[in-house]
Structure formats: structure tokens, C-alpha cells
Amino acid sequence: DDPSVFGINTAPTSMQAAFSRSNHSNLLGITDDLCYALDTSDVTTFRDCFYQNTEIINVDLQLWSFYSSTTEQNMFSGCTDLETITFNDDVSLHNAASMFNNCSSLVTIYGSINLNSCSGISSMFAGCRSLQYLVISGFDYNSNQTLDLSASAVLDLETLIDNLPNK
């Protein structure tokens, strides 16, 4: 397999709508080949990156960097067949509003999502009724932001706290 799926090694600074339904509706999964192909260290926006792509099932982003990103808003919003996302061990998000909104088949998010510097989390998990596992770190439970997990039948704040590493 050619790891240069798009003929580039460095991702553009904007990944907005890069894998959205309108751009890549036949993309079934993001594998290590694509992760190795794209250096995302200079990407400033992942907004709508996979927006409404109803074809993707598993996404592996372990090698993607979110360090320079200022927004991940709607990144997976409307990906109704998405079941699994794998991030690296500590991905820091900056604006995750509606990031997983209406990912109704999403069961598992591997890796650790750090919300320490996140300015927006509204509707982050709205409509994620199948969500059973995720780890969130760096969230100030006393802040004025609300982490709403009510769509999930099995995941709640207590379970989330139990999943925290080194609690």
C-alpha cells in the first residue's frame, strides 16, 4: 500500500471537511497508512474534518498531532456508522463543541481526551447513544461547562471518573 494516500506527507494547515461526506464518501476507515502519510503537527483546524461521513466505521488517529489545532468542532459530527475512534494516549482538545454529535453507533473512544485547555464542549457527545467507553482527563468538574453524557445508556459521570487513569 502506498502510504501517501493523497500524494502528500504534510497535511494542510486546515483539515476542514477533508474527509467529510461530500469529499470522501467511500472512505471506510482511516488506517495506519493514512496516519503515517499525514504529518498533522501544523494543522490549525480539524473543524468538520469527517463531518457527516456515514461510511467510516473505525478511525485510527494515534499518530495525528492536535498540538497546533485551535478547533475540533464538529470533527465527527453526523458520522452515524462510526463505531471506534483511537487517539494517542493524551490528545489535548481546544474547542470540542459538537465534536461527536450524533455519532449514534460510536461505542468506544480509545486514548485519553484532555480537556484542560478546551474552551467549548457543548453537545460534544449529544446523540452518542451507543457510547460505552472513553477516558477524559484534565476536565474541571467545577467549571461552568457541562459535560453531557445523557445520550449514552451506559456511560455517566461516575463511570467516566472510574475510567480515569491514576485516579
Side-chain angles (χ1 to χ4, degrees), residues 122-136:
S122 64
S123 301
M124 185 174 178
F125 298 103
C128 293
R129 63 177 182 256
S130 301
L131 191 59
Q132 295 179 23
Y133 182 83
L134 82 144
V135 175
I136 291 182

Side-chain angles (χ1 to χ4, degrees), residues 94-167:
H94 300 90
N95 180 357
S98 300
M99 185 172 180
F100 307 102
N101 188 32
N102 290 323
C103 290
S104 54
S105 298
L106 184 60
V107 176
T108 306
I109 300 175
Y110 293 108
S112 178
I113 297 174
N114 187 324
L115 298 177
N116 191 43
S117 301
C118 197
S119 63
I121 59 171
S122 64
S123 301
M124 185 174 178
F125 298 103
C128 293
R129 63 177 182 256
S130 301
L131 191 59
Q132 295 179 23
Y133 182 83
L134 82 144
V135 175
I136 291 182
S137 64
F139 179 68
D140 181 359
Y141 294 94
N142 297 315
S143 73
N144 61 355
Q145 296 193 74
T146 301
L147 187 61
D148 184 3
L149 299 169
S150 62
S152 173
V154 298
L155 194 62
D156 57 20
L157 192 55
E158 183 177 323
T159 306
L160 185 63
I161 291 170
D162 287 342
N163 288 342
L164 286 174
N166 303 318
K167 67 169 195 150

Side-chain angles (χ1 to χ4, degrees):
D1 290 31
D2 179 11
S4 301
V5 175
F6 298 103
I8 57 173
N9 290 323
T10 303
T13 57
S14 174
M15 291 288 286
Q16 185 163 353
F19 304 106
S20 67
R21 178 179 60 186
S22 60
N23 289 336
H24 290 281
S25 62
N26 62 345
L27 190 63
L28 296 178
I30 306 298
T31 64
D32 289 340
D33 289 343
L34 183 55
C35 291
Y36 287 117
L38 291 177
D39 172 4
T40 61
S41 58
D42 292 329
V43 173
T44 58
T45 182
F46 287 97
R47 182 182 184 126
D48 302 328
C49 187
F50 297 92
Y51 182 73
Q52 292 186 346
N53 187 326
T54 56
E55 301 297 320
I56 59 172
I57 298 168
N58 300 301
V59 177
D60 185 353
L61 303 178
Q62 290 182 76
L63 301 177
W64 282 24
S65 170
F66 290 81
Y67 182 77
S68 298
S69 178
T70 59
T71 185
E72 302 82 22
Q73 188 172 5
N74 296 318
M75 186 171 178
F76 296 99
S77 184
C79 295
T80 54
D81 289 337
L82 181 60
E83 297 174 0
T84 304
I85 302 170
T86 305
F87 290 111
N88 62 37
D89 288 334
D90 190 27
V91 60
S92 292
L93 301 179
H94 300 90
N95 180 357
S98 300
M99 185 172 180
F100 307 102
N101 188 32
N102 290 323
C103 290
S104 54
S105 298
L106 184 60
V107 176
T108 306
I109 300 175
Y110 293 108
S112 178
I113 297 174
N114 187 324
L115 298 177
N116 191 43
S117 301
C118 197
S119 63
I121 59 171
S122 64
S123 301
M124 185 174 178
F125 298 103
C128 293
R129 63 177 182 256
S130 301
L131 191 59
Q132 295 179 23
Y133 182 83
L134 82 144
V135 175
I136 291 182
S137 64
F139 179 68
D140 181 359
Y141 294 94
N142 297 315
S143 73
N144 61 355
Q145 296 193 74
T146 301
L147 187 61
D148 184 3
L149 299 169
S150 62
S152 173
V154 298
L155 194 62
D156 57 20
L157 192 55
E158 183 177 323
T159 306
L160 185 63
I161 291 170
D162 287 342
N163 288 342
L164 286 174
N166 303 318
K167 67 169 195 150

